[in-house]
Amino acid sequence: MTHLTRNTMKHRLFLFDLDDTLLDFKASEKLSFVRTMQELGLRDGVDGLFQQYQAINTALWKSFEAGAVSKDFLKVERFRKTFETKGIELDSEAASRLYLESLPDTVVLIDGAQHVCETLAAFGEVGVITNGVESIQSRRIASSGLSKHISFVATSESSGYAKPDVRFFEYATKMARSFVKDKTIIVGDRLDADILGANRFGIESCWFNPGRLANESEALPTYEVASLHEILPSLREFAAA
């Protein structure tokens, strides 16, 4: 068991990304996509279709984060484009609705998420920062059982800006009970959103990198972990450094 006290901890505010940091979005995404296709009567070739959808969805999210498209457009366009690419005649608006309705019911926790949030919330403040759809993210957090450890949830919809925009982080930190830059850290899996945002905002960051990928980006994490179980021991090291 990891014992942490205020005397051994540097940070007081912990900003966690949600998808693929606390919640296994890849697992939820696949389950929800398959359910959606089944609801629409499509059962053959779903795995290949999902791979196509993922590529299109990733590109659209990057466009959203760059301010090029709206989230409402993204939610439907990813299905329209997927169906069009494969020559499938299905209703993209119905697919979007069914998929979003399914997501809160397919929540999968990343190993260690419950323990790290509970431990850090006991003496500091845990906030969630997400570019995801606000209504869906709220329901997913509630389904996950993490909400009792989370002080606030900052979304791109409510702030009007998306990670890595500095204005998103200005908005998020105003929601905290107390915010001091050198006592705040962001934990996230995405270099281009979470870590780059932390760099631009001038706070420390921890890159959650379970795949042990090489960092070939301009983003520079302060620390790096491959498992959420490594965060608590690492935070003790932060204080001792």
Side-chain angles (χ1 to χ4, degrees):
M1 181 175 179
T2 302
H3 296 284
L4 299 172
T5 68
R6 286 188 175 272
N7 292 331
T8 61
M9 286 293 297
K10 171 183 177 181
H11 303 97
R12 295 291 180 269
L13 178 60
F14 308 90
L15 301 176
F16 278 86
D17 172 54
L18 187 63
D19 291 322
D20 294 322
T21 300
L22 293 176
L23 302 185
D24 188 340
F25 183 72
K26 291 181 179 68
S28 298
E29 180 184 39
K30 178 69 179 289
L31 288 169
S32 295
F33 186 88
V34 171
R35 281 190 188 182
T36 297
M37 293 306 105
Q38 289 175 344
E39 284 282 331
L40 294 173
L42 184 67
R43 287 173 172 76
D44 295 330
V46 173
D47 284 346
L49 190 65
F50 177 65
Q51 292 176 2
Q52 186 73 44
Y53 166 85
Q54 281 186 306
I56 291 169
N57 187 43
T58 297
L60 281 167
W61 273 106
K62 288 185 183 299
S63 294
F64 165 72
E65 288 160 1
V69 302
S70 71
K71 194 172 291 182
D72 285 339
F73 174 81
L74 176 155
K75 287 186 287 189
V76 177
E77 178 66 7
R78 55 191 176 182
F79 287 98
R80 189 200 67 76
K81 206 166 182 179
T82 299
F83 297 154
E84 179 185 64
T85 301
K86 293 293 187 178
I88 297 171
E89 293 186 6
L90 288 176
D91 187 336
S92 54
E93 290 191 1
S96 176
R97 175 177 53 79
L98 289 167
Y99 173 78
L100 293 174
E101 287 174 355
S102 177
L103 272 177
D105 299 324
T106 58
V107 169
V108 179
L109 281 170
I110 296 284
D111 185 38
Q114 188 78 243
H115 178 61
V116 74
C117 287
E118 180 180 7
T119 303
L120 295 178
F123 67 91
E125 185 174 15
V126 175
V128 163
I129 51 174
T130 175
N131 283 347
V133 180
E134 183 168 359
S135 60
I136 303 302
Q137 298 298 59
S138 297
R139 290 167 59 195
R140 293 176 70 231
I141 291 170
S143 297
S144 73
L146 295 176
S147 54
K148 58 188 173 184
H149 309 307
I150 294 170
S151 175
F152 62 90
V153 179
T155 68
S156 57
E157 285 179 44
S158 57
S159 72
Y161 305 98
K163 296 181 291 182
D165 196 306
V166 168
R167 291 168 292 187
F168 174 88
F169 296 97
E170 290 172 345
Y171 169 84
T173 51
K174 285 177 182 175
M175 298 178 74
R177 294 190 298 265
S178 176
F179 167 60
V180 178
K181 273 198 172 184
D182 64 4
K183 293 184 182 296
T184 301
I185 188 166
I186 287 175
V187 181
D189 70 300
R190 287 189 52 192
L191 289 166
D192 58 346
D194 307 307
I195 308 306
L196 184 59
N199 292 166
R200 291 176 175 175
F201 191 50
I203 57 180
E204 293 190 342
S205 61
C206 179
W207 181 27
F208 176 55
N209 181 21
R212 301 185 186 276
L213 305 175
N215 181 3
E216 299 175 347
S217 74
E218 62 178 304
L220 297 173
T222 315
Y223 305 99
E224 179 179 336
V225 296
S227 164
L228 292 184
H229 292 289
E230 295 174 21
I231 290 178
L232 299 177
S234 296
L235 289 177
R236 288 204 308 257
E237 293 177 19
F238 298 170

